[in-house]
Amino acid sequence: MNCKKYLSFFILSLIIISCKSEDNTQVDEDGIITGLQTKTFSHDNVNRNYLIYIPDSYDSEIDYPLMFLFHGFGGIASEFINTADMRDLAESKNFIVVYPQGLDLGGTGSHWNCSNPSADNKSDVDDIGFIENLIDQLIVDYPVIDSKRIYAAGYSNGGFMSYYLGCNSKKFAAIGSVAGTMLDDSYQSCNASFPTAMINIHGTDDFDVPYDGNIYYPSIPDVVDWWKNFNNTPNEDLLTNQDGSIEQYIYYNDAGDRYVEHVKIIGGGHYWDDKLNYNGTNTSGLIWGFVSNYNIDGIID
């Protein structure tokens, strides 16, 4: 083995052992590890964990959108990936998916700090800084990432986080929430970029984050109206599944461009359910099918 080949082999070996890889990982001809990996990123002197899935079909000649999925309060990323599993979609649609891990909140479970300092603020963890800096590092690690096509979606507290990122970060082209809502801080002081596409999926019998709101949370119709007004999409189409148990509201502007969608699950509870079947599409499919239509500048032509 000549020196050049030995050096390449040594560098590749370091890459492989620098992160924990799952059993289904592979190394492509460019040295990129595909499949599911558990990795660590340091932010504010704290090692933060995340799962990343690089499609086995990885091709360095094409651009890849980046999809973040946020677990709920007390959640574990390695379990949430089995609930909100976008790996098959990532393979067929060519995107990279990341499942970050929230930090423990005083022994009560993991959380996302999804509010600016206010009554809604439960900790001083800089989660928005963590995610934004992680994005910057991922773009270095994977130059194929399309920085104009970065998306966030989450469940419950993770849905709060996706709204928070949509309001306070300029890196996201579209966001999604499942069984989540906007905290007052975001609802009253959202500073989103125009336009920002949003999909909301929520059950009418959600007792943790009530569909009709309570003293802590605005109602889901009010949240949808906020994004509908912000994106200047006053026109509405209503579609349903065959038995009428799921209603899909699509909001669009006078040019026919849709930027807001609400999926109302009649009788649905507080969950992200990939067993949900809306005309052949589950929750993960609905999220990806919506957000993937946008880049940071708006609808993709």
Side-chain angles (χ1 to χ4, degrees):
M1 180 181 291
N2 62 36
C3 292
K4 184 176 180 180
K5 289 184 178 179
Y6 179 80
L7 180 60
S8 297
F9 177 79
F10 177 71
I11 292 173
L12 180 59
S13 298
L14 287 179
I15 292 172
I16 294 172
I17 65 175
S18 66
C19 63
K20 177 184 175 184
S21 299
E22 309 298 330
D23 291 341
N24 65 340
T25 58
Q26 303 178 38
V27 181
D28 84 338
E29 60 184 10
D30 298 312
I32 296 295
I33 301 175
T34 62
L36 183 64
Q37 304 161 68
T38 301
K39 303 184 78 171
T40 301
F41 178 77
S42 180
H43 178 70
D44 281 351
N45 298 315
V46 176
N47 288 332
R48 304 292 301 266
N49 295 327
Y50 63 96
L51 300 179
I52 184 168
Y53 185 80
I54 308 296
D56 292 332
S57 56
Y58 177 88
D59 183 346
S60 61
E61 299 300 316
I62 65 175
D63 294 332
Y64 283 77
L66 180 61
M67 181 82 225
F68 280 87
L69 293 174
F70 296 93
H71 62 72
F73 185 83
I76 301 172
S78 59
E79 295 178 358
F80 183 55
I81 191 175
N82 295 317
T83 300
D85 193 345
M86 286 198 183
R87 284 173 287 186
D88 286 345
L89 279 170
E91 289 288 351
S92 62
K93 303 298 183 181
N94 291 320
F95 65 94
I96 293 170
V97 59
V98 172
Y99 296 79
Q101 177 63 51
L103 293 181
D104 182 70
L105 180 61
T108 61
S110 60
H111 80 299
W112 298 108
N113 183 26
C114 44
S115 174
N116 292 321
S118 71
D120 292 327
N121 209 227
K122 299 299 188 291
S123 78
D124 59 1
V125 174
D126 179 25
D127 276 326
I128 191 170
F130 162 50
I131 296 302
E132 290 193 325
N133 290 339
L134 177 57
I135 288 171
D136 292 340
Q137 184 60 54
L138 290 172
I139 290 173
V140 172
D141 295 342
Y142 305 97
V144 295
I145 289 175
D146 185 346
S147 61
K148 287 191 171 187
R149 298 188 66 194
I150 300 176
Y151 312 113
Y155 159 66
S156 190
N157 178 224
F160 301 172
M161 185 64 184
S162 69
Y163 281 121
Y164 183 59
L165 290 169
C167 287
N168 294 282
S169 175
K170 306 305 178 186
K171 293 182 180 290
F172 292 88
I175 61 170
S177 170
V178 178
T181 191
M182 298 173 78
L183 294 177
D184 284 342
D185 172 59
S186 295
Y187 186 68
Q188 301 294 338
S189 306
C190 185
N191 189 32
S193 297
F194 179 81
T196 300
M198 187 280 291
I199 180 172
N200 172 289
I201 301 176
H202 214 101
T204 59
D205 286 354
D206 186 332
F207 294 106
D208 294 279
V209 182
Y211 187 87
D212 293 323
N214 56 21
I215 61 172
Y216 304 107
Y217 307 128
S219 72
I220 298 308
D222 284 346
V223 169
V224 172
D225 281 347
W226 191 98
W227 289 94
K228 181 178 71 173
N229 294 332
F230 174 76
N231 285 298
N232 191 26
T233 54
N235 306 299
E236 176 187 300
D237 283 341
L238 170 60
L239 306 174
T240 64
N241 62 343
Q242 189 172 14
D243 64 7
S245 62
I246 300 175
E247 299 175 350
Q248 179 187 26
Y249 295 84
I250 298 170
Y251 299 96
Y252 54 96
N253 60 25
D254 290 340
D257 300 327
R258 66 170 186 167
Y259 279 100
V260 177
E261 187 171 309
H262 171 45
V263 179
K264 181 179 181 180
I265 305 172
I266 309 301
H270 190 71
Y271 47 71
W272 178 310
D273 183 10
D274 268 349
K275 294 180 181 177
L276 175 125
N277 184 339
Y278 177 67
N279 298 331
T281 304
N282 65 11
T283 301
S284 290
L286 287 169
I287 293 286
W288 177 253
F290 177 83
V291 300
S292 59
N293 291 299
Y294 308 92
N295 63 24
I296 206 71
D297 299 316
I299 292 178
I300 300 171
D301 295 329

